[in-house]
């Protein structure tokens, strides 16, 4: 913004010259009363009225303080008002200086004392003001041309970067790609999918309020494990209709080792649906293969050649949905399932880092295009034109500088040596959240960076939860009962779980017999069933899903972490299994 501040200084100086010339010309008049009145009106009253009007246009008198005139956000918000104020300041300063200099006595060639103003050459005073304004306007015009050129060069640099990425990671056209696309087309054309997807499509096709968010809660798929659930057969039929092409895709990926890397969310979701359908029918081996396919999908979306890797997040949630189904349906859960969930899917830090850099380049191209291209519906008055020029002059310095600092922050935050359990964005991205860059504040880049930190935290937290549940199953099989709180802490310590996440352990009890029939291992941040920050061991998860749908709220983390489930009297760490709404039979047979 230094160039713009220099131009503002030159504008102030130009108006000061104008004010000085006006004062000197009026003081040259022989009619003191007329000259004094004109000087007061033109030199003081009129500029002050312009200044008051500028403050009124800003709508906030207190907002026009010095800090608003020297920070980029304030400069952009009040740029035209700032121009008026500095012009007024320059004019009044020049008039004051001209008045003082012009009233000073001076001896003329004849020896008589007269005002100093009358000794100044008239034509020089008339030419000085317009000449100063012409020079400043020319400099402003040249600064705008230079700003456009610098912005265009910076934009071309990042557009080239995006084009190179597209060339490096082209869409593959192998057997897996062909089968994937055919399956995707069939899924999109299916008019009788599961009830969740059916309702979601209907809601999307209906007119919605501007701020309405349509949410698809796939966690409700676990209801198919409830006895007599009305939509179970619909899900089974949906999985059966597309099973042949799906198994062909699974075979090409798992057996032939083909890569695709551009997995669509609909295909990943169907993989989870198929796995849950297999579990419901008792085919654990097929469900394990589906779980393995989801892990391969997640790993391939983290490929170093794929820059837009946020699809990994959704695929990972489908993995944990299937794993949660196994924890509730299968007793005991096979070791292969734990091994699959704990298998390394790749360097998530590097992938998120590349994704954010790609998002940064995309936002740079979009923002600069908005600065350089004229909008047909835009006003063409002086204020609007000046606003556009001001933005270009300011951002031709700030966007490159901001981008450099932002990329450094991304590189430092998303590397293997960074603590993945740090989730405070103010710590990880101090410049991103506090630099007052309007082109970032109006984009989604800030939220992407914040979400990336959250994703990394959740990814590593879920791995610790899987390890803890594996330990719980092993200890329970040895003791033939659920662990006490002290035994769980001892087991977690012996299993070398990280101390960065204080895991919570609660048992789930049958409301009739009082016997423990399940357990919860959760992060303190676990608040929704579908945030996958809590794993539910045993079939008690199914009536809980039925009881808490559609909100899925399981705990109020803002109010002392209060659980939504009723607790056993005088034992807050022992929760009662709710009675399901979807079935009248016993939904939670005791674990054997």
């Amino acid at each position: 913004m230094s160039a713009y501040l220099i131009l503002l200084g030159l504008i102030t100086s130009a108006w000061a010259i104008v004010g000085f010339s006006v004062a000197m010309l009026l003081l040259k008049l022989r009619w003191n009363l007329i000259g004094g009145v004109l000087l007061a009106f033109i030199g003081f009253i009129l500029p002050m009225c312009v200044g008051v009007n500028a403050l009124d246009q800003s709508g906030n008198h207190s907002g026009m303080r010095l800090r608003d005139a020297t920070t980029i956000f304030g400069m952009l918000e009040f740029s035209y008002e700032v121009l008026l104020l500095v012009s007024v300041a320059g004019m009044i300063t020049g008039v004051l200086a001209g008045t003082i200099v012009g009233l000073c006595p001076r001896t003329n060639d004849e020896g008589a004392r007269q005002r100093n103003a009358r000794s100044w050459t008239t034509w020089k005073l008339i030419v000085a003001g317009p000449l100063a304004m012409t020079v400043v306007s020319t400099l402003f015009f040249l600064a705008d041309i230079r700003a456009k050129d610098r912005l265009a060069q910076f934009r071309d640099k990042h557009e080239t970067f995006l084009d190179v990425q597209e060339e490096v990671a082209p869409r593959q056209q192998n057997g897996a790609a062909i089968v994937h696309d055919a399956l995707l087309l069939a899924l999109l054309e299916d008019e009788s999918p599961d009830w969740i997807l059916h309702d979601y499509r209907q809601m999307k096709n209906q007119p919605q309020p501007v701020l309405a968010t349509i949410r698809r809660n796939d966690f409700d798929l676990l209801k198919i494990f409830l006895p007599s659930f009305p939509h179970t057969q619909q899900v089974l039929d949906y999985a059966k209709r597309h099973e042949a092409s799906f198994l062909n895709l699974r075979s090409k990926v798992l057996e032939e080792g083909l890569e695709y890397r551009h997995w669509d969310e609909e295909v990943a979701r169907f993989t989870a649906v198929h796995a849950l359908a297999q579990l419901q029918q008792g085919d654990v081996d097929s469900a394990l293969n589906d779980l393995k396919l989801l892990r391969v999908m997640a790993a391939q979306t983290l490929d170093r050649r794929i820059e837009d890797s946020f699809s990994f997040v959704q695929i990972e949630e489908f993995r944990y949905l299937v794993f949660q189904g196994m924890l509730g349906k299968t007793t005991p859960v096979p070791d292969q399932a734990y091994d699959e969930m704990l298998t390394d899917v790749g360097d998530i830090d590097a992938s998120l880092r590349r994704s954010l850099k790609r998002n940064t380049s995309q936002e740079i191209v979009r923002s600069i295009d908005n600065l350089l291209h004229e909008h047909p519906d835009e006003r063409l008055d002086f204020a609007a034109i000046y606003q556009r020029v001001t933005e270009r002059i300011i951002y031709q310095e700030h966007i490159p500088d901001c981008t450099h600092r932002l990329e450094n922050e991304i590189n430092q935050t998303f590397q293997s040596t960074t603590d993945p359990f740090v989730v405070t964005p103010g710590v990880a991205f101090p410049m991103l959240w506090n630099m007052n860059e309007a082109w970032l504040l109006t984009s989604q880049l800030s939220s992407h960076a914040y979400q990336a930190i959250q994703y990394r935290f959740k990814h590593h937290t879920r791995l610790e939860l899987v390890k803890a549940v594996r330990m719980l199953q092993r200890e329970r099989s040895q003791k033939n009962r659920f662990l006490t709180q002290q035994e769980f802490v001892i087991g977690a310590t012996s299993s070398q779980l990280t101390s960065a996440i204080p895991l919570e352990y609660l048992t789930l009890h049958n409301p009739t017999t009082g016997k423990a029939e399940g357990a919860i291992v959760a992060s303190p941040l676990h608040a929704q069933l579908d945030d996958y920050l809590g794993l539910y061991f045993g079939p008690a998860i199914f009536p809980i899903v039925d009881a808490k749908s559609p909100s899925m709220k399981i705990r109020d983390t803002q109010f002392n972490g209060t659980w939504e489930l009723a607790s056993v009297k005088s034992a807050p760490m022992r929760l009662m299994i709710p009675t399901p709404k979807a079935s009248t039979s016993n939904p939670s047979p005791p674990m054997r």
Side-chain angles (χ1 to χ4, degrees):
M1 196 167 56
S2 57
Y4 184 63
L5 292 177
I6 292 173
L7 289 172
L8 280 181
L10 293 175
I11 290 174
T12 305
S13 301
W15 277 105
I17 294 174
V18 172
F20 183 88
S21 300
V22 169
M24 296 293 282
L25 286 171
L26 293 175
L27 289 174
K28 289 174 70 70
L29 296 176
R30 295 187 180 277
W31 302 283
N32 295 336
L33 179 60
I34 296 177
V37 171
L38 290 175
L39 180 61
F41 179 76
I42 298 175
F44 296 99
I45 297 176
L46 185 60
M48 291 178 66
C49 290
V50 174
V52 171
N53 182 61
L55 291 174
D56 289 339
Q57 289 184 27
S58 71
N60 183 5
H61 289 248
S62 62
M64 294 303 300
R65 293 176 296 204
L66 179 61
R67 66 174 181 84
D68 291 323
T70 54
T71 62
I72 181 172
F73 206 47
M75 190 68 76
L76 286 176
E77 187 177 1
F78 303 115
S79 59
Y80 182 63
E81 288 78 6
V82 169
L83 172 67
L84 295 179
L85 289 176
V86 298
S87 300
V88 167
M91 181 71 177
I92 293 177
T93 302
V95 170
L96 285 174
T99 302
I100 294 173
V101 174
L103 289 176
C104 290
R106 180 176 180 177
T107 303
N108 59 14
D109 297 337
E110 300 175 357
R113 293 174 64 83
Q114 63 178 9
R115 296 174 190 167
N116 188 26
R118 292 175 178 170
S119 64
W120 285 64
T121 306
T122 302
W123 72 269
K124 291 182 179 179
L125 293 175
I126 295 175
V127 171
L131 179 62
M133 296 303 299
T134 301
V135 171
V136 170
S137 300
T138 303
L139 292 175
F140 226 92
F141 176 73
L142 294 176
D144 184 36
I145 294 177
R146 178 176 180 270
K148 288 181 178 179
D149 183 62
R150 290 191 63 185
L151 287 171
Q153 290 180 4
F154 197 69
R155 179 202 179 279
D156 293 342
K157 171 185 174 183
H158 283 269
E159 188 176 43
T160 302
F161 174 69
L162 294 173
D163 293 340
V164 169
Q165 290 178 348
E166 294 295 335
E167 295 175 1
V168 171
R171 294 183 65 88
Q172 294 173 310
Q173 296 298 324
N174 54 28
I178 296 173
V179 177
H180 171 277
D181 293 344
L183 175 59
L184 175 60
L185 181 61
L187 294 175
L188 294 176
E189 293 178 346
D190 195 318
E191 298 181 354
S192 301
D194 59 85
W195 85 99
I196 297 176
L197 188 56
H198 179 267
D199 294 344
Y200 175 73
R201 290 176 178 176
Q202 282 191 333
M203 291 181 65
K204 286 191 67 177
N205 292 331
Q206 295 175 357
Q208 299 292 333
V210 176
L211 299 178
T213 300
I214 303 176
R215 184 170 179 266
R216 187 187 68 202
N217 195 349
D218 292 323
F219 204 82
D220 269 340
L221 286 168
L222 294 179
K223 289 182 181 180
I224 66 173
F225 296 104
L226 290 168
S228 303
F229 183 66
H231 297 296
T232 299
Q233 191 59 45
Q234 180 187 20
V235 176
L236 298 180
D237 292 341
Y238 176 54
K240 189 68 175 179
R241 278 197 303 275
H242 305 284
E243 188 172 41
S245 57
F246 170 75
L247 293 179
N248 187 18
L249 174 64
R250 192 177 72 180
S251 173
K252 289 185 176 297
V253 175
L254 298 185
E255 297 176 11
E256 300 180 22
L258 297 181
E259 294 184 8
Y260 183 57
R261 298 198 303 270
H262 296 277
W263 295 99
D264 191 272
E265 180 183 330
E266 290 292 333
V267 175
R269 183 184 185 276
F270 180 79
T271 305
V273 171
H274 185 267
L276 294 176
Q278 300 306 300
L279 285 175
Q280 205 278 341
Q281 296 175 312
D283 192 348
V284 179
D285 292 337
S286 180
L288 283 173
N289 285 330
D290 293 343
L291 189 63
K292 184 177 181 179
L293 177 60
L294 284 171
R295 192 254 304 165
V296 173
M297 289 182 182
Q300 290 182 0
T301 57
L302 291 179
D303 189 281
R304 64 183 178 83
R305 292 160 289 185
I306 306 299
E307 306 302 326
D308 190 12
S309 64
F310 279 99
S311 57
F312 160 81
V313 177
Q314 187 60 60
I315 296 176
E316 184 176 62
E317 290 188 352
F318 288 138
R319 291 179 67 213
Y320 279 90
L321 176 62
V322 175
F323 182 64
Q324 180 60 76
M326 286 187 174
L327 290 177
K329 179 65 176 178
T330 309
T331 306
V333 178
D335 285 337
Q336 296 94 315
Y338 291 106
D339 293 338
E340 272 300 322
M341 298 305 297
L342 295 175
T343 299
D344 185 23
V345 294
D347 190 352
I348 184 174
D349 288 281
S351 182
L352 291 174
R353 181 173 65 246
R354 292 192 299 269
S355 294
L356 286 175
K357 286 186 176 181
R358 179 179 178 83
N359 289 341
T360 302
S361 296
Q362 291 173 337
E363 188 58 34
I364 288 171
V365 172
R366 185 198 66 81
S367 299
I368 294 180
D369 283 343
N370 185 58
L371 290 171
L372 296 180
H373 296 163
E374 299 297 334
H375 303 284
D377 57 343
E378 188 178 24
R379 295 181 296 116
L380 295 179
D381 56 10
F382 176 76
I385 295 174
Y386 178 81
Q387 179 78 16
R388 299 283 294 177
V389 172
T390 299
E391 290 176 353
R392 288 192 287 265
I393 293 175
I394 289 177
Y395 279 143
Q396 57 100 13
E397 295 181 8
H398 271 260
I399 288 182
D401 180 62
C402 170
T403 303
H404 175 70
R405 290 182 292 158
L406 183 58
E407 289 180 345
N408 286 339
E409 289 292 330
I410 293 174
N411 290 333
Q412 294 173 9
T413 301
F414 293 97
Q415 55 183 348
S416 57
T417 58
T418 305
D419 186 0
F421 301 109
V422 175
V423 296
T424 306
V427 174
F429 284 92
M431 293 181 181
L432 176 59
W433 267 262
N434 298 308
M435 63 176 58
N436 286 332
E437 291 287 354
W439 70 284
L440 287 178
L441 297 176
T442 58
S443 71
Q444 297 297 318
L445 185 60
S446 299
S447 62
H448 285 165
Y450 174 77
Q451 290 171 4
I453 299 173
Q454 295 288 330
Y455 292 156
R456 181 181 61 179
F457 167 78
K458 290 180 180 180
H459 172 74
H460 291 279
T461 299
R462 290 163 181 165
L463 292 177
E464 297 301 313
L465 292 176
V466 174
K467 296 176 185 177
V469 172
R470 189 175 202 172
M471 178 274 298
L472 175 63
Q473 175 175 294
R474 182 178 63 251
E475 293 295 326
R476 183 184 180 279
S477 63
Q478 293 177 358
K479 295 180 170 60
N480 199 26
R481 60 174 175 80
F482 284 96
L483 304 181
T484 63
Q485 292 291 327
Q486 184 177 5
E487 289 173 339
F488 179 82
V489 172
I490 295 174
T493 304
S494 62
S495 299
Q496 297 181 344
L497 298 180
T498 179
S499 60
I501 303 179
L503 300 181
E504 297 182 358
Y505 169 70
L506 303 95
T507 51
L508 297 167
H509 296 257
N510 188 300
T512 303
T513 64
K515 183 179 179 181
E517 296 182 354
I520 304 175
V521 180
S523 160
L525 298 179
H526 178 50
Q528 302 283 134
L529 287 172
D530 55 352
D531 62 20
Y532 301 98
L533 292 178
L535 293 178
Y536 294 71
F537 185 63
I541 178 60
F542 305 132
I544 292 176
V545 173
D546 194 35
K548 296 305 173 183
S549 179
S551 70
M552 291 296 168
K553 183 179 180 181
I554 192 65
R555 183 167 59 167
D556 187 355
T557 57
Q558 302 297 325
F559 186 69
N560 298 327
T562 305
W563 289 83
E564 296 286 323
L565 301 177
S567 61
V568 178
K569 188 176 181 180
S570 69
M573 305 304 288
R574 299 180 180 182
L575 305 180
M576 304 295 292
I577 301 173
T579 302
K581 297 177 290 186
S583 173
T584 56
S585 60
N586 181 16
S588 177
M591 294 182 68
R592 294 185 294 272

